[in-house]
Amino acid sequence: ERKKAPGNAAHNALQIAAGLLQQSRCGRPSHSGARLTQATSSFRSACAAARQKLQQRANERACANERRRALRTLSEVTRLRRRRDRCLPRDGNNGAPGAPLRVRLRRSRFRGDVRAGEAGAGFPPAVGAELAVQPWPAGAGRGGRRASGPAGEAGARRRGAPGQAGAPRRGGRRRRAHRSVLDFDFEKLCSISLSHINVYACLVCGKYFQGRGLKSHAYIHSVQFSHHVFLNLHTLKFYCLPDNYEIIDSSLEDITYVLKPTFTKQHISNLDKQAKLSRAYDGTTYLPGIVGLNNIKANDYANAILQALSNVPPLRNYFLEEENYKNIKRPPGDIMFLLVQRFGELMRKLWNPRNFKAHVSPHEMLQAVVLCSKKNFQITKQGDGVDFLSWFLNALHSALGGTKKKKKTIVTDVFQGSMRIFTKKLPHPDLPAEEKEQLLQNDEYQEKMVESTFMYLTLDLPTAPLYKDEKEQLIIPQVPLFNILAKFNGITEKEYKTYKENFLKRFQLTKLPPYLIFCIKRFTKNNFFVEKNPTIVNFPITNVDLREYLSEEVQAVHKNTTYDLIANIVHDGKPTEGAYRIHVLHHGTGKWYELQDLQVTDILPQMITLSEAYIQIWKRRDSKEETNQQGA
Ligand SMILES: [Zn+2]
């Protein structure tokens, strides 16, 4: 009978009592007194039990209502906060006067007891009072030990009962981590406060939130959306929120690796021997190092350069190992080192064999570029590949502690060569012949030589004639690579004009770097616009010998002068609005790939020479490889 509703219990008690009273009047006086007492007492106890039950029910209902109201308040509060945060200026802070709303959340000594209060103007009065919320449901309690309790059932339903999909661990939280939504390529700032400090990634939805303390955005997020696994993006530790304990679980290591890939010496030395495909989380396969880079808006010029540099083995190897540059000391307040750090991170992401996706976003790298170049190079505006390459190599060199003359870095070790520049001043062409003769006797007009270093060689194209064929289509002129390389043979003279003086210059190479960069000068600026020369350069992609461009004494010392192409950057379309793509050689497979932003396709080597090559990187053959080639 106790199991029935409390109302029924009271009714039953009355009936029993009435029956007993009836019996007490049955005419057996000896019994009636005792029976009456018995009936009265059992009536009383039944009534008490009923009252108690009713009270309990009312309490439970009140509790449930209260809790529901509290949760509603909490989500309303978060919503309002978000809305406010969106309106506030970027550096707006929660406690600033005039901030319409501030929320304080704290947990009482009862586990999971959340109190939401307000401490700011503009808060709805109805939720102004502190709300006591009943303990969290049993399902969410520690190991479900407190299986009973008024809210047990409701809670288990809301959170997913223990034992449901996803192994419940300590605390009974489902430690789901959705690898497909995780992307660590973007700036590590809190999605709400926009702060860089102490940022956690929610491993369920992939968003970033600040802090894990009781008032923090990550904490509120975990309560509001029941997302419980968070990764601290700086310490690489995992936490369960709102319970706030560290998770140590080796099954999450792949996530840490994607956030911060590391490379052993062994791994690095094998990179160019492997042809092994990696598989991304969505099943697509990719070759590490040959992965697309997002075009965020108009940054394909920078993408092509970054791709090319990431495929120069010694430079790549240096940046894959953070140890190589970690301890370089920079003056306080120096921002240029950011470039080095970001480039290293990008390099490790591009070569990560265990990435969740088959492409990488250069977002953080490019933000550093925008900052360090003082907005000379931007994400939102197409730039010039050669300008960017030149700036980037010099910036890297100086950020690594290199100087103009003496101090070398990995950048100069890989790319720097040297040449002699012979300069002869010319008399003004309008002067009479006699005067010219006389001037030429002057010391000022004698040829002078300087030795100069270079990071890349600029190759000039012959002026493109505007021939048209019978179909009225422009004929695209072609020129062999060796013709335009003749600039460096020490004999060819080229005239240079400044606004008042004319010079004749000739060049001779004195040192060839291990990796030689050619920049083919396609763009000329005149007073009004930029013009593009569409001439196609004909070149073999292997076996280009530069011996004849060295002086005789240098030839004797320089053993290897033969180069093979490893990267070819192409500019398509009009000068200002054109697009960049790149051809790179994958050393492990020996195959060529074409990359244009996110697209990666394999390409036949003979197709490479048909493009409007703009920047090329050539690799010098070592003696060992040369003999191999001969043997093969
Ligand atoms: Zn989440």
Side-chain angles (χ1 to χ4, degrees):
E1 290 212 312
R2 263 189 229 154
K3 278 175 192 165
K4 284 184 182 169
N8 286 345
H11 178 72
N12 289 347
L14 276 173
Q15 274 195 334
I16 295 165
L20 288 169
L21 272 173
Q22 208 99 56
Q23 281 180 21
S24 70
R25 291 187 202 115
C26 75
R28 286 198 194 165
S30 57
H31 290 150
S32 60
R35 284 201 174 162
L36 186 60
T37 322
Q38 198 190 348
T40 316
S41 75
S42 59
F43 174 62
R44 272 192 192 138
S45 61
C47 282
R51 212 179 299 127
Q52 211 176 342
K53 276 205 166 164
L54 277 171
Q55 186 67 44
Q56 205 179 333
R57 277 290 153 100
N59 279 348
E60 278 174 31
R61 210 169 302 135
C63 287
N65 285 342
E66 197 83 324
R67 212 186 70 243
R68 229 168 284 140
R69 208 178 309 144
L71 282 170
R72 263 204 305 275
T73 313
L74 192 62
S75 63
E76 174 71 4
V77 158
T78 321
R79 199 176 62 79
L80 288 171
R81 252 179 117 142
R82 283 241 179 88
R83 196 198 289 167
R84 184 209 56 196
D85 284 338
R86 272 202 299 275
C87 303
L88 276 185
R90 292 211 150 199
D91 52 352
N93 100 50
N94 279 349
L101 170 62
R102 199 174 81 193
V103 171
R104 195 181 293 150
L105 282 171
R106 105 185 121 79
R107 300 171 86 194
S108 80
R109 62 201 160 86
F110 294 108
R111 263 192 49 73
D113 189 344
V114 175
R115 281 158 201 274
E118 60 94 34
F123 199 91
V127 287
E130 273 209 346
L131 291 169
V133 183
Q134 279 300 305
W136 287 119
R142 289 211 181 268
R145 258 181 281 129
R146 298 171 344 130
S148 60
E153 276 172 36
R157 260 203 312 279
R158 201 165 57 79
R159 300 221 160 218
Q164 223 176 298
R169 314 282 168 91
R170 183 184 149 205
R173 299 266 187 230
R174 285 169 61 194
R175 280 203 210 138
R176 309 174 281 173
H178 292 169
R179 286 161 175 78
S180 53
V181 301
L182 297 181
D183 189 337
F184 300 123
D185 292 350
F186 286 87
E187 200 182 355
K188 312 227 167 12
L189 49 77
C190 171
S191 56
I192 294 171
S193 72
L194 303 176
S195 162
H196 289 89
I197 300 159
N198 207 15
V199 180
Y200 291 76
C202 170
L203 297 191
V204 182
C205 63
K207 287 185 189 143
Y208 296 166
F209 298 98
Q210 192 178 12
R212 66 170 203 279
L214 298 185
K215 299 174 192 172
S216 67
H217 298 296
Y219 180 89
I220 293 170
H221 178 75
S222 75
V223 173
Q224 197 182 6
F225 292 95
S226 301
H227 293 173
H228 301 302
V229 196
F230 289 80
L231 168 62
N232 184 313
L233 296 174
H234 312 280
T235 62
L236 309 186
K237 285 181 177 167
F238 294 92
Y239 292 91
C240 183
L241 293 183
D243 308 70
N244 201 358
Y245 59 85
E246 191 185 340
I247 302 166
I248 295 162
D249 184 344
S250 56
S251 72
L252 295 171
E253 259 165 35
D254 59 330
I255 295 174
T256 338
Y257 192 84
V258 168
L259 176 58
K260 201 175 180 201
T262 47
F263 290 79
T264 60
K265 286 203 164 38
Q266 170 85 30
H267 185 184
I268 292 173
S269 66
N270 284 330
L271 280 179
D272 292 330
K273 295 169 198 153
Q274 281 173 354
K276 213 176 125 193
L277 283 166
S278 290
R279 191 174 290 276
Y281 199 71
D282 62 359
T284 51
T285 50
Y286 67 94
L287 274 173
I290 309 286
V291 290
L293 282 175
N294 283 31
N295 192 349
I296 298 157
K297 180 126 190 248
N299 53 287
D300 49 329
Y301 73 102
N303 284 0
I305 301 293
L306 295 169
Q307 293 277 18
L309 295 178
S310 75
N311 278 285
V312 175
L315 191 75
R316 172 200 67 199
N317 296 354
Y318 179 88
F319 281 98
L320 284 182
E321 256 190 294
E322 206 182 348
E323 296 299 310
N324 289 330
Y325 56 85
K326 209 164 104 188
N327 298 319
I328 290 176
K329 289 214 164 50
R330 299 296 300 161
D334 177 67
I335 50 159
M336 295 307 275
F337 199 65
L338 193 65
L339 215 56
V340 173
Q341 288 167 326
R342 294 280 183 262
F343 188 54
E345 284 163 18
L346 181 73
M347 211 62 102
R348 290 189 283 274
K349 280 178 180 167
L350 285 172
W351 286 89
N352 181 359
R354 286 154 61 193
N355 207 346
F356 289 162
K357 52 196 171 64
H359 58 90
V360 170
S361 170
H363 191 252
E364 286 198 285
M365 168 83 242
L366 293 175
Q367 274 189 322
V369 166
V370 174
L371 183 74
C372 296
S373 73
K374 300 193 175 67
K375 295 195 178 170
N376 255 334
F377 299 101
Q378 303 203 19
I379 300 176
T380 48
K381 200 170 143 248
Q382 181 75 290
D384 179 73
V386 174
D387 289 350
F388 177 67
L389 175 70
S390 164
W391 172 81
F392 188 65
L393 289 180
N394 281 311
L396 270 189
H397 173 65
S398 58
L400 286 168
T403 55
K404 225 170 191 158
K405 290 233 163 111
K406 277 190 188 151
K407 216 144 168 246
K408 300 182 120 205
T409 62
I410 182 72
V411 181
T412 46
D413 286 347
V414 174
F415 294 118
Q416 197 176 67
S418 64
M419 63 166 117
R420 286 182 192 147
I421 304 172
F422 301 89
T423 313
K424 203 156 63 178
K425 195 177 170 184
L426 293 177
H428 199 276
D430 297 343
L431 291 174
E434 269 175 46
E435 210 172 318
K436 275 189 195 168
E437 285 281 309
Q438 203 155 17
L439 280 175
L440 283 173
Q441 304 301 315
N442 284 357
D443 196 37
E444 198 192 341
Y445 289 84
Q446 300 310 306
E447 189 175 69
K448 291 178 187 73
M449 190 270 281
V450 283
E451 182 109 25
S452 170
T453 56
F454 64 86
M455 290 284 209
Y456 59 87
L457 296 178
T458 304
L459 306 184
D460 305 306
L461 290 173
T463 319
L466 295 169
Y467 295 139
K468 285 190 178 171
D469 64 10
E470 53 274 17
K471 285 176 198 152
E472 284 292 298
Q473 286 197 317
L474 229 53
I475 294 172
I476 297 171
Q478 304 197 18
V479 61
L481 177 69
F482 291 96
N483 284 21
I484 54 174
L485 271 174
K487 178 182 174 184
F488 300 99
N489 63 9
I491 304 160
T492 312
E493 287 184 317
K494 197 174 176 254
E495 202 174 327
Y496 287 82
K497 284 179 187 158
T498 65
Y499 67 102
K500 57 175 186 182
E501 286 170 325
N502 291 358
F503 295 96
L504 267 187
K505 287 192 182 189
R506 53 194 184 91
F507 309 90
Q508 187 164 43
L509 302 178
T510 51
K511 189 187 155 231
L512 291 168
Y515 288 81
L516 184 60
I517 305 176
F518 288 159
C519 294
I520 298 162
K521 201 167 175 345
R522 290 200 176 274
F523 300 106
T524 39
K525 257 183 220 150
N526 62 33
N527 290 340
F528 304 104
F529 50 89
V530 183
E531 250 177 298
K532 184 180 173 185
N533 186 329
T535 304
I536 301 277
V537 180
N538 295 319
F539 56 92
I541 61 167
T542 54
N543 234 341
V544 170
D545 194 354
L546 299 178
R547 183 159 289 270
E548 59 180 295
Y549 308 107
L550 295 167
S551 64
E552 272 173 35
E553 71 273 20
V554 180
Q555 281 183 14
V557 199
H558 240 296
K559 228 168 130 200
N560 304 307
T561 53
T562 309
Y563 285 81
D564 299 320
L565 187 70
I566 61 158
N568 183 52
I569 295 173
V570 179
H571 182 274
D572 299 303
K574 290 180 183 166
T576 43
E577 55 208 66
Y580 285 84
R581 64 196 155 99
I582 173 174
H583 303 128
V584 280
L585 173 68
H586 184 259
H587 291 87
T589 53
K591 281 187 188 152
W592 281 90
Y593 290 87
E594 181 177 274
L595 299 139
Q596 183 161 26
D597 300 327
L598 289 178
Q599 278 176 36
V600 180
T601 41
D602 42 359
I603 181 172
L604 291 171
Q606 52 268 37
M607 300 298 287
I608 295 167
T609 58
L610 298 177
S611 54
E612 292 171 74
Y614 186 34
I615 301 167
Q616 300 183 323
I617 303 182
W618 296 77
K619 178 183 186 285
R620 192 175 65 198
R621 283 190 195 168
D622 324 341
S623 343
K624 216 162 94 194
E625 281 174 65
E626 210 159 18
T627 48
N628 279 352
Q629 292 267 338
Q630 280 162 2

